[in-house]
Amino acid sequence: MPWWKKIKRDPTETFRTASQYGGNMTPLRFAVLGCGFWSQYQIAAWRELEGVELVAVYNRTRAKAEKVARQFSVARVYDDAEALFATETLDFVDIITDVDTHATFTALAARAGVPVICQKPMAPTLAMAESMVQTCRAAGVPFMIHENFRWQTPLRKVKHLLEEGTLGKPFRARILFNSSFPVFDNQPFLRDLKQFILTDVGSHILDVARFLFGEARTLYCRTQRVNPTIQGEDVATVVMEMGDGVTVSCEMSYASRLEHERFPETYLLIECGGGSLELGPDCWIRLTTTEGTHAKRYPPPYYHWADPRYALIHASIVPCNADLLRALRTGTLPETSGEDNLQTVRLIYAAYDSAVADTVVLLDRQRNAAG
Ligand code: 89V
C-alpha cells in the first residue's frame, strides 16, 4: 500500500511521514495535467527543487503535451487522463488545467490514490470546491492548492515584520492590485469567465489578506465590468473585518490605467498602533514610526526561465512548490492545503453574494453552518 494511503483522515491531524512507512521518497514521481501557458513556468519551477521527477504530461490536445514534453525531456505523453492514471505510478499529480476541469481530474487522481496539487482557483463554485476537499479526504489522499502570491518575497517580509510586532497592532489595511495589464493576451480563457477578477485575482488577494490578518468575520463587496469585451467583472472592491479587529479593504482591477503600470505587484498600506508599513512599487517596504521612515527593497530571486513581465509571480512558484513538496515528504500540511484554501474560496463566493445582494455577509455564521 502506498504511504499516503495510510495518512490519517482527520485533516486537523498532521500527516505521518513517508519514512515512517518505509516509503521510497527519492525522487517523487509526478505528472502534470494541462500544458498551457502556466505549465512551462510551473515545470521550470519544479526543476529548481531536488528530489522530484516529472514522468508524464497530459493535455487534451496532444500536440501541446508533446511540445512541453520535448521542451522539458518528459518521457511520456497522454491525451487521455484516465489512461495516464491507469499506466503511471505516481507520488503526486500537479493539475494546471482550466478551472472547469479541476474537480474531474482531482476525482480521477483521488480514485487512483494519487495525492493532488491543484492550481488556484480551486473550483468554479463553492459547492464544487467543498466536494473536491471531501473527495480527497474520503479517499485519504493529500489535497493541496497551488496558491503562490503569499510566497512573494516582499509579502513574506511583510508577514515577518507584522509578526515581529514592532509596529504594534494593525487596525486598518489596504491591499491593492490595480492595473491595465493585457492579461487576456496570454490567458485568453479569462475573457470568457462569467466570474472573472474575484476568481482569478481575488483567489490571490483574499488569500494574502488571510495570510496577513487571519480569518474574516464580515465582508462587503462591489463589482464592476469596465471592459465591455469580456464576460465577467474586471473591477472588485472588498471590505472585510478580519482577525483581531482589522478593517481590510482589497481593491482589484484590470481596468485601471495608471501613470506607471506595475503589474503584477501588490501594494499594501498597513496602519498599526505604533506606525505604518507600506509595500510600494518595485518591492520597496517603508516602515514609519515616530523615529522616522526606514525603507528597504525586497526583490524576488532571479530565475532565467521567468517571463520578465511576470517575474515577481513566477519567482513565487518556487517556494510555493517547495512548501507543497515539504508537506508531501514529511507528511505535514502545507500552508495552502485544500482545507485552508477552502476559506479563501468561501471569501470569493461570499464576495459575489454580497455584490449581488448589496449586503454585508456575516462569515462567522457561514463557517458555523458549514461546521
Ligand atoms: O497568477 C495568476 O493566477 C494569473 C494572473 C494573476 C496573472 O492573472 O492568472
Side-chain angles (χ1 to χ4, degrees), residues 34-46:
C35 294
F37 172 68
W38 215 253
S39 67
Q40 51 192 299
Y41 307 106
Q42 189 82 5
I43 296 171
W46 278 120

Side-chain angles (χ1 to χ4, degrees), residues 38 119-121 148-149 177 181 183 187 189-190 196 200-201 204 254 263-264 310 313:
W38 215 253
Q119 189 65 215
K120 62 55 72 174
N148 52 39
F149 263 43
F177 188 93
F181 183 77
V183 69
Q187 297 170 282
F189 66 94
L190 296 175
F196 166 46
D200 188 55
V201 171
H204 293 310
Y254 273 123
F263 173 90
Y310 294 78
I313 303 183

Side-chain angles (χ1 to χ4, degrees), residues 131-369:
S131 94
M132 287 163 77
V133 170
Q134 185 48 39
T135 299
C136 291
R137 192 190 293 161
V141 300
F143 178 50
M144 311 174 175
I145 299 300
H146 182 98
E147 169 47 67
N148 52 39
F149 263 43
R150 61 163 72 198
W151 290 99
Q152 288 175 16
T153 308
L155 291 173
R156 296 311 278 190
K157 184 65 193 176
V158 168
K159 170 82 170 169
H160 181 70
L161 289 166
L162 289 179
E163 278 173 356
E164 266 182 356
T166 37
L167 290 175
K169 190 170 146 353
F171 58 87
R172 188 165 65 169
R174 291 176 75 194
I175 308 181
L176 310 180
F177 188 93
N178 296 325
S179 88
S180 55
F181 183 77
V183 69
F184 310 110
D185 292 356
N186 289 321
Q187 297 170 282
F189 66 94
L190 296 175
R191 194 179 270 288
D192 301 323
L193 292 181
K194 296 228 159 34
Q195 295 181 317
F196 166 46
I197 205 164
L198 282 166
T199 56
D200 188 55
V201 171
S203 308
H204 293 310
I205 296 302
L206 299 175
D207 190 68
V208 167
R210 290 184 54 238
F211 171 59
L212 296 177
F213 304 112
E215 300 305 336
R217 286 192 314 104
T218 65
L219 180 152
Y220 180 69
C221 174
R222 302 306 306 147
T223 60
Q224 289 148 281
R225 179 163 62 96
V226 177
N227 178 345
T229 71
I230 65 168
Q231 295 284 314
E233 83 290 351
D234 51 0
V235 177
T237 310
V238 178
V239 180
M240 294 177 285
E241 197 62 31
M242 304 196 81
D244 191 10
V246 195
T247 305
V248 180
S249 63
C250 300
E251 290 179 25
M252 294 151 253
S253 164
Y254 273 123
S256 302
R257 201 154 295 283
L258 304 168
E259 184 185 4
H260 300 289
E261 175 57 63
R262 305 300 309 204
F263 173 90
E265 294 182 30
T266 302
Y267 295 161
L268 299 172
L269 172 61
I270 304 173
E271 296 163 85
C272 308
S276 67
L277 183 161
E278 241 178 303
L279 168 58
D282 210 17
C283 305
W284 280 90
I285 292 179
R286 288 183 162 70
L287 291 182
T288 301
T289 63
T290 48
E291 311 280 295
T293 296
H294 175 79
K296 193 164 173 196
R297 190 166 170 255
Y298 293 91
Y302 170 80
Y303 292 106
H304 67 90
W305 44 262
D307 179 331
R309 293 164 305 170
Y310 294 78
L312 182 64
I313 303 183
H314 286 167
S316 74
I317 299 174
V318 178
C320 180
N321 282 355
D323 185 54
L324 301 171
L325 183 60
R326 176 197 58 74
L328 282 167
R329 279 200 170 287
T330 58
T332 53
L333 288 169
E335 280 195 20
T336 55
S337 66
E339 296 278 348
D340 180 89
N341 194 259
L342 201 48
Q343 300 300 338
T344 299
V345 178
R346 288 204 173 108
L347 294 186
I348 295 168
Y349 291 102
Y352 283 118
D353 290 347
S354 167
V356 169
D358 192 15
T359 55
V360 175
V361 176
L362 304 180
L363 290 143
D364 282 344
R365 236 177 252 172
Q366 275 198 355
R367 250 198 308 278
N368 292 340

